[in-house]
Amino acid sequence: MNSTNTMARPLDAALVQEALGQAGAHQRLAWIAGQMGLSEAELLPLAAEYFGTSALDMEALRGMRPDLGLISFAECQRRTCIAGYPGNGTELVVVLADPMDTRLRQWLEARLDQHVAVYAVASARDIQAFLVTVEKSVRAMDGVKLQQGRSSTDETGTSISISRIDATESPVVRLVDSTLYDALRSGASDIHLETQPDGMVIKYRLDGVLELIKQIDNIEMAHQAISRIKVISELDIAERRVPQDGRFQVIVDAREIDFRVSIMPNLFGEDAVLRVLDRKHLTGQFRALTLDTLGFDASVLHFIRNASQMPYGLLLVTGPTGSGKTTTLYAALSEINTGLDKIVTIEDPIEYQLPGVLQIPVNEKKGLTFVRGLRSILRHDPDKIMIGEIRDAETAQIAVQAALTGHQVFTTVHANNVFDVIGRFANMGVDSYSLVAALNGIVAQRLLRINCPHCAATCTVSTDLLLRSGLAPERTASAVFKRGLGCAHCRGTGYKGRRAIAETLPMSDTLRDQLVQRAPMSHIRQSARAAGFTSLRDAAVALALQGETTVEEINRVTPVE
């Protein structure tokens, strides 16, 4: 903010009176700012001085403890105001976006009654962003519940549908139902219910990171919530000493959504993790999915596209759980699915539905394993095969043999980088010559959170952090670092969405010779670097230097080299 400019142009009564007549509620400060040629952030200190209050920015709001007993969360959202206490203070502060709203002032005075409060002003945008962070602990899910549905006790689990919550509903059922509904609304990929000595905490995995949503200080309700999850997942509620796995289904807006459930005993009871599988929603997205939509840079796109269009051979995609491996393979399959080839997949579970592709779900209880399914697939006259994951030596052997016998095989394997994949297959007993002959290339990928486009602003990064991140000052001399400040669009986190980064390892003659001769991994890395290899860390650093993500985020996802 240009303090000289704002100090030279004080806010006067005439402009305030004109704003009262010209602008509507919550627009008056923005209108005055436009008349004065200032931004709303520049006007706030002037408005605070004029009205005899203080101006609060997002950092100050984050230090507040809102009192939702005085003004409910819903009213705070509707009226764009907050009542609470700053830090460890005991003086009640009411924060307004529009200090000229006399009706709001009168409503607040009647609402607060005997409470003595001081007023402060903040931008409407900052107040709404702060309320988004407050909502994580409030979860005011009015009028929604999950209710036992008509269908099914089939192998996919129990079907349930969303309807209104009755006033007499059990608080445990209300807790579980509102948590499930809100997770769907928030776009969470996983729900974690963690039992603690005095209760339970509920977390969502959003954009790959766990966020604390709610804390329940009632150990009995925690146990009952886990039991409720077991009931709808058709698990044994009496068994608390061994892990259990199950699933159930909800129907939201005529869309089937599966929840895959894992129950694990702990010192204080049990924990539950629910994986959200919204197949139809993702299938709709996948109709327009191509490799171009994934965010890879041009060289990675070129490599994956070329490898996926080979007539035969093995394309491996590696990375940790949740790094987007399946999405990459489905994007590649979508591009080559012309209807001229027989494409068969075997997965556990089938996460997306791809038209024109035979998709086989693994069912170990019925004896349909990856190995048995693969043997049957090879007798089904396939041209292209996708294996959801190589987990054991026998699956690895069959995948390599299929690639050597004229089939194109797409698969994933868990490894930290493209070089570790070679060691994984060697440990599984796959002959190095056969692997090299079958292999078209390897892709290792990660997902990085991207700065929110609505609140990202230029920032400075400390020299200490840059050095700890392996970034020499001369390398960052022309960098433009940015960071999201937190707003309603990003739920106050500063990040909105994720982007894929990758490293690729094409099979050159030099590399094939080194792999067959079991050369030291350091020599293989040197050869790859000489051929222009770009590591995951290099790709992540490039995004940080361009201001698309933060240094902290690239350190979280990729190791310092």
mmCIF file of all heavy atoms in Angstrom, residues 258-273:
data_model
loop_
_atom_site.group_PDB
_atom_site.id
_atom_site.type_symbol
_atom_site.label_atom_id
_atom_site.label_comp_id
_atom_site.label_asym_id
_atom_site.label_seq_id
_atom_site.Cartn_x
_atom_site.Cartn_y
_atom_site.Cartn_z
ATOM 1 N N ASP A 258 -19.026 -44.348 -4.506
ATOM 2 C CA ASP A 258 -18.563 -45.433 -3.639
ATOM 3 C C ASP A 258 -17.616 -44.894 -2.573
ATOM 4 O O ASP A 258 -16.823 -43.978 -2.824
ATOM 5 C CB ASP A 258 -17.828 -46.505 -4.452
ATOM 6 C CG ASP A 258 -18.775 -47.330 -5.303
ATOM 7 O OD1 ASP A 258 -19.958 -47.389 -4.945
ATOM 8 O OD2 ASP A 258 -18.336 -47.880 -6.320
ATOM 9 N N PHE A 259 -17.717 -45.475 -1.384
ATOM 10 C CA PHE A 259 -16.761 -45.214 -0.317
ATOM 11 C C PHE A 259 -16.087 -46.538 0.023
ATOM 12 O O PHE A 259 -16.750 -47.507 0.376
ATOM 13 C CB PHE A 259 -17.463 -44.659 0.931
ATOM 14 C CG PHE A 259 -17.916 -43.236 0.797
ATOM 15 C CD1 PHE A 259 -19.120 -42.926 0.190
ATOM 16 C CD2 PHE A 259 -17.137 -42.199 1.279
ATOM 17 C CE1 PHE A 259 -19.548 -41.620 0.067
ATOM 18 C CE2 PHE A 259 -17.551 -40.887 1.168
ATOM 19 C CZ PHE A 259 -18.762 -40.593 0.558
ATOM 20 N N ARG A 260 -14.769 -46.576 -0.101
ATOM 21 C CA ARG A 260 -14.008 -47.753 0.284
ATOM 22 C C ARG A 260 -13.490 -47.539 1.704
ATOM 23 O O ARG A 260 -12.830 -46.530 1.985
ATOM 24 C CB ARG A 260 -12.848 -47.970 -0.692
ATOM 25 C CG ARG A 260 -12.201 -49.340 -0.598
ATOM 26 C CD ARG A 260 -11.233 -49.552 -1.746
ATOM 27 N NE ARG A 260 -10.201 -48.547 -1.783
ATOM 28 C CZ ARG A 260 -9.352 -48.395 -2.785
ATOM 29 N NH1 ARG A 260 -9.443 -49.169 -3.835
ATOM 30 N NH2 ARG A 260 -8.425 -47.461 -2.743
ATOM 31 N N VAL A 261 -13.778 -48.466 2.603
ATOM 32 C CA VAL A 261 -13.570 -48.262 4.042
ATOM 33 C C VAL A 261 -12.453 -49.161 4.561
ATOM 34 O O VAL A 261 -12.387 -50.346 4.234
ATOM 35 C CB VAL A 261 -14.878 -48.562 4.814
ATOM 36 C CG1 VAL A 261 -14.671 -48.365 6.313
ATOM 37 C CG2 VAL A 261 -16.007 -47.676 4.312
ATOM 38 N N SER A 262 -11.584 -48.571 5.370
ATOM 39 C CA SER A 262 -10.554 -49.335 6.080
ATOM 40 C C SER A 262 -10.635 -48.992 7.564
ATOM 41 O O SER A 262 -10.524 -47.827 7.937
ATOM 42 C CB SER A 262 -9.151 -48.994 5.552
ATOM 43 O OG SER A 262 -8.154 -49.616 6.351
ATOM 44 N N ILE A 263 -10.882 -50.013 8.386
ATOM 45 C CA ILE A 263 -10.950 -49.842 9.840
ATOM 46 C C ILE A 263 -9.679 -50.435 10.452
ATOM 47 O O ILE A 263 -9.312 -51.565 10.141
ATOM 48 C CB ILE A 263 -12.180 -50.548 10.436
ATOM 49 C CG1 ILE A 263 -13.474 -50.081 9.746
ATOM 50 C CG2 ILE A 263 -12.254 -50.312 11.945
ATOM 51 C CD1 ILE A 263 -13.858 -48.667 10.031
ATOM 52 N N MET A 264 -9.033 -49.671 11.314
ATOM 53 C CA MET A 264 -7.770 -50.117 11.904
ATOM 54 C C MET A 264 -7.806 -49.895 13.423
ATOM 55 O O MET A 264 -8.139 -48.795 13.878
ATOM 56 C CB MET A 264 -6.608 -49.316 11.302
ATOM 57 C CG MET A 264 -5.240 -49.839 11.672
ATOM 58 S SD MET A 264 -4.847 -51.396 10.845
ATOM 59 C CE MET A 264 -4.785 -50.853 9.132
ATOM 60 N N PRO A 265 -7.491 -50.939 14.221
ATOM 61 C CA PRO A 265 -7.467 -50.749 15.680
ATOM 62 C C PRO A 265 -6.288 -49.877 16.102
ATOM 63 O O PRO A 265 -5.222 -49.914 15.478
ATOM 64 C CB PRO A 265 -7.318 -52.178 16.220
ATOM 65 C CG PRO A 265 -6.693 -52.945 15.107
ATOM 66 C CD PRO A 265 -7.180 -52.318 13.837
ATOM 67 N N ASN A 266 -6.494 -49.073 17.153
ATOM 68 C CA ASN A 266 -5.389 -48.304 17.712
ATOM 69 C C ASN A 266 -5.435 -48.388 19.231
ATOM 70 O O ASN A 266 -6.250 -49.128 19.810
ATOM 71 C CB ASN A 266 -5.405 -46.852 17.215
ATOM 72 C CG ASN A 266 -6.520 -46.035 17.830
ATOM 73 O OD1 ASN A 266 -7.248 -46.482 18.723
ATOM 74 N ND2 ASN A 266 -6.672 -44.808 17.363
ATOM 75 N N LEU A 267 -4.617 -47.630 19.895
ATOM 76 C CA LEU A 267 -4.485 -47.725 21.342
ATOM 77 C C LEU A 267 -5.761 -47.310 22.060
ATOM 78 O O LEU A 267 -6.057 -47.795 23.154
ATOM 79 C CB LEU A 267 -3.311 -46.848 21.802
ATOM 80 C CG LEU A 267 -2.910 -46.930 23.274
ATOM 81 C CD1 LEU A 267 -2.481 -48.355 23.621
ATOM 82 C CD2 LEU A 267 -1.792 -45.942 23.567
ATOM 83 N N PHE A 268 -6.549 -46.416 21.455
ATOM 84 C CA PHE A 268 -7.709 -45.842 22.132
ATOM 85 C C PHE A 268 -9.037 -46.305 21.547
ATOM 86 O O PHE A 268 -10.088 -45.835 21.965
ATOM 87 C CB PHE A 268 -7.638 -44.306 22.073
ATOM 88 C CG PHE A 268 -6.314 -43.763 22.491
ATOM 89 C CD1 PHE A 268 -5.450 -43.208 21.557
ATOM 90 C CD2 PHE A 268 -5.913 -43.825 23.814
ATOM 91 C CE1 PHE A 268 -4.214 -42.721 21.931
ATOM 92 C CE2 PHE A 268 -4.677 -43.334 24.203
ATOM 93 C CZ PHE A 268 -3.826 -42.777 23.273
ATOM 94 N N GLY A 269 -8.988 -47.185 20.565
ATOM 95 C CA GLY A 269 -10.217 -47.654 19.930
ATOM 96 C C GLY A 269 -9.927 -48.076 18.508
ATOM 97 O O GLY A 269 -9.150 -49.010 18.279
ATOM 98 N N GLU A 270 -10.516 -47.378 17.544
ATOM 99 C CA GLU A 270 -10.298 -47.687 16.132
ATOM 100 C C GLU A 270 -10.273 -46.409 15.315
ATOM 101 O O GLU A 270 -10.904 -45.410 15.662
ATOM 102 C CB GLU A 270 -11.414 -48.596 15.608
ATOM 103 C CG GLU A 270 -11.428 -49.996 16.209
ATOM 104 C CD GLU A 270 -12.647 -50.776 15.762
ATOM 105 O OE1 GLU A 270 -13.761 -50.388 16.142
ATOM 106 O OE2 GLU A 270 -12.478 -51.775 15.036
ATOM 107 N N ASP A 271 -9.519 -46.444 14.228
ATOM 108 C CA ASP A 271 -9.510 -45.380 13.234
ATOM 109 C C ASP A 271 -10.204 -45.879 11.975
ATOM 110 O O ASP A 271 -10.195 -47.077 11.685
ATOM 111 C CB ASP A 271 -8.092 -44.961 12.876
ATOM 112 C CG ASP A 271 -7.441 -44.105 13.959
ATOM 113 O OD1 ASP A 271 -8.039 -43.991 15.047
ATOM 114 O OD2 ASP A 271 -6.352 -43.574 13.716
ATOM 115 N N ALA A 272 -10.784 -44.951 11.232
ATOM 116 C CA ALA A 272 -11.412 -45.298 9.954
ATOM 117 C C ALA A 272 -10.905 -44.344 8.879
ATOM 118 O O ALA A 272 -10.770 -43.137 9.118
ATOM 119 C CB ALA A 272 -12.937 -45.220 10.048
ATOM 120 N N VAL A 273 -10.602 -44.895 7.708
ATOM 121 C CA VAL A 273 -10.253 -44.091 6.541
ATOM 122 C C VAL A 273 -11.200 -44.477 5.415
ATOM 123 O O VAL A 273 -11.335 -45.656 5.080
ATOM 124 C CB VAL A 273 -8.796 -44.304 6.104
ATOM 125 C CG1 VAL A 273 -8.517 -43.541 4.815
ATOM 126 C CG2 VAL A 273 -7.836 -43.860 7.200
#
